[in-house]
Amino acid sequence: MAIDFDLLNYLKTFLTESRQERFKTILNKRTRHLTVAIENVYLSHNASAVLRSCEVFGIQDVHVIEKNYAFKTSTQITKGANKWLTISKYNNYKNNTLACIDALRTEGYQIVATTPHTDSCILQDFDVSKKSVFFFGVEKEGLSDDVLQNADVTLKIPMYGFSESLNISVAAAIILQHCTHKMKSQIIDWQLSQEEKDILELEWTKKTIKDVNQIIAHYRDNK
């Protein structure tokens, strides 16, 4: 994607220097080495909490698979986190789950099914050196057979109490905190490319400026 740097530089004049520096700082900590896929989650507060965790821990992309339920979020919980994420929805395929898996495999991701009910890899032993997408499933049933049968790895969080599972948003937060920390402590090319940073900086700048479409139209009329 070609970046219009003249437009970017023009729009940046509408931002404070501290906001511009904030964008650069966050972009340097963003990653696509790890990503998240949410399958058929119907509780908006859980979906929203997962998005917020992704944003907090620097995960740029979230892949949303809709099956029985439409994906809904709560602004009270996301706190605007979804504004800074790249969200891809799979809701118009014969099999939305397999479409998502195929797309991510094409991008070089290994498929990681998060589940407490199999002989899974323990979180602390998970190899973060490989590009990975963590699949999280619907609250009651968990992940579908499509994910479990196509997973390259199954992953679980060690638990020592009577409860056999964690809320999806809690599980996502634990896994992302552990894996992003471990990833950044190793020699891994986990950061975005400069082109990816430029694209996101332009997107974020547009989302920050009030009446940005009018401003861009004025800029182009007078160019």
Side-chain angles (χ1 to χ4, degrees), residues 210-221:
K210 185 179 179 181
D211 299 323
V212 68
N213 290 332
Q214 295 178 29
I215 291 171
I216 292 174
H218 176 76
Y219 162 80
R220 287 176 174 158
D221 289 341

Side-chain angles (χ1 to χ4, degrees), residues 9-218:
N9 290 330
Y10 174 72
L11 292 178
K12 284 164 68 173
T13 64
F14 292 85
L15 304 182
T16 63
E17 288 188 10
S18 61
R19 172 60 88 174
Q20 294 179 44
E21 288 303 313
R22 182 70 171 152
F23 280 175
K24 291 186 183 300
T25 298
I26 292 174
L27 284 167
N28 284 332
K29 297 178 181 178
R30 276 292 203 259
T31 191
R32 284 188 163 121
H33 181 76
L34 303 177
T35 190
V36 165
I38 307 172
E39 184 189 40
N40 209 29
V41 174
Y42 65 91
L43 294 177
S44 63
H45 62 273
N46 279 343
S48 302
V50 173
L51 294 183
R52 192 170 175 183
S53 292
C54 287
E55 206 284 319
V56 163
F57 294 115
I59 305 297
Q60 181 57 39
D61 298 331
V62 179
H63 302 268
V64 175
I65 301 167
E66 295 181 346
K67 295 176 73 175
N68 308 104
Y69 314 108
F71 183 77
K72 298 179 180 178
T73 58
S74 166
T75 55
Q76 290 183 326
I77 297 176
T78 59
K79 302 295 184 183
N82 50 321
K83 179 179 181 179
W84 313 112
L85 299 173
T86 303
I87 301 175
S88 300
K89 290 188 177 182
Y90 299 80
N91 55 16
N92 196 30
Y93 298 89
K94 183 177 180 180
N95 186 315
N96 294 325
T97 297
L98 292 181
C100 179
I101 290 173
D102 289 345
L104 290 165
R105 274 231 172 89
T106 299
E107 294 179 21
Y109 288 98
Q110 69 168 346
I111 308 303
V112 182
T114 62
T115 174
H117 302 301
T118 63
D119 186 18
S120 306
C121 170
I122 299 297
L123 177 59
Q124 285 76 4
D125 296 332
F126 182 72
D127 180 6
V128 297
S129 66
K130 298 179 180 179
K131 284 182 66 175
S132 301
V133 50
F134 301 106
F135 276 75
F136 296 95
V138 68
E139 291 82 357
K140 292 182 180 180
E141 295 86 359
L143 290 168
S144 68
D145 288 340
D146 286 328
V147 176
L148 296 175
Q149 291 171 7
N150 285 279
D152 302 300
V153 180
T154 54
L155 180 67
K156 67 180 177 182
I157 300 168
M159 287 176 276
Y160 309 104
F162 291 106
S163 300
E164 295 183 350
S165 64
L166 290 166
N167 176 281
I168 177 179
S169 60
V170 175
I174 291 172
I175 289 172
L176 294 180
Q177 191 281 331
H178 175 84
C179 290
T180 54
H181 176 76
K182 188 175 181 180
M183 173 189 71
K184 292 176 182 179
S185 69
Q186 298 184 11
I187 303 175
I188 300 171
D189 185 18
W190 58 267
Q191 290 182 296
L192 301 178
S193 68
Q194 188 57 53
E195 181 181 19
E196 289 173 314
K197 291 178 184 178
D198 292 338
I199 291 170
L200 286 172
E201 184 179 14
L202 179 56
E203 289 180 5
W204 292 357
T205 300
K206 287 179 179 178
K207 291 177 179 179
T208 303
I209 300 171
K210 185 179 179 181
D211 299 323
V212 68
N213 290 332
Q214 295 178 29
I215 291 171
I216 292 174
H218 176 76

